Every structure is written in C-alpha cells, then in structure tokens.
Amino acid sequence: MPVMMLMQWDNVTPAQYDAVRKIVNFEADPPRGGLYHVAGFDDKGMRVADVWERAEDFQAFVEQRLMPGVQKAGITGEPKVNILPAHNVYAPGYVRR
C-alpha cells in the first residue's frame, strides 16, 4: 500500500535543497519505491510531500542516500516527518521532465 510522507525541515533554504538534489541525484537515479515528490518553502523553511510504494522504501532512501547527502551539504538539525497510509493517489496533470 502506498504511503504519503510529509516533511517539515525548518531553516533549510532553497539553495541547500538544490545542493542535496545535486549530491543525491534522485531525479536521474530515482530511489526504489519513490513515486512522487514535491518540495516547497515558506518563511520557516522547507516542506516536502512524497508518495512512496512502501514506508520501508522511504526509510532505505533516507539511510542510504538522503542523510549522507544532507550531511555532505552541511545541513544541520532534524526534520519532522509524518508517514501516513495513502488513501488516494491522483496526479493527472503531472508529466515527468
């Protein structure tokens, strides 16, 4: 069953997020089980919403790729993460580029 991952990481900037994107390279080398990713920023920091095939796929990505990239980019602190069972997944207008 798919899961929805919601992340709130205060004090992370767009530049830091872009540095991690480059290091982790998740767009050219998608992680197993990753279905959908959206990142945005507000006055407090970064907000992310993902859809994953399984919570275990997300956890493996975090441990094996994301956190090493975060450390390499020099980001400190810890995110608040919430994993919920997906009730519905719908993205009719999304085209991966």
Side-chain angles (χ1 to χ4, degrees), residues 10-93:
D10 291 344
N11 303 313
V12 172
T13 67
Q16 289 173 313
Y17 169 81
D18 290 339
V20 172
R21 269 179 63 204
K22 185 175 181 181
I23 294 165
V24 176
N25 196 29
F26 59 80
E27 292 169 354
D29 182 15
R32 179 182 182 163
L35 300 175
Y36 197 83
H37 171 81
V38 179
F41 295 84
D42 62 18
D43 60 342
K44 293 183 181 179
M46 182 177 71
R47 306 296 180 256
V48 175
D50 284 356
V51 177
W52 289 82
E53 289 180 6
R54 303 174 318 131
E56 294 83 3
D57 293 330
F58 171 68
Q59 190 60 40
F61 171 69
V62 167
E63 293 172 2
Q64 297 166 11
R65 294 176 60 187
L66 182 61
M67 290 313 291
V70 164
Q71 291 172 351
K72 190 172 183 179
I75 296 174
T76 59
E78 294 286 325
K80 294 178 186 171
V81 177
N82 203 1
I83 306 257
L84 305 168
H87 181 74
N88 186 32
V89 178
Y90 179 68

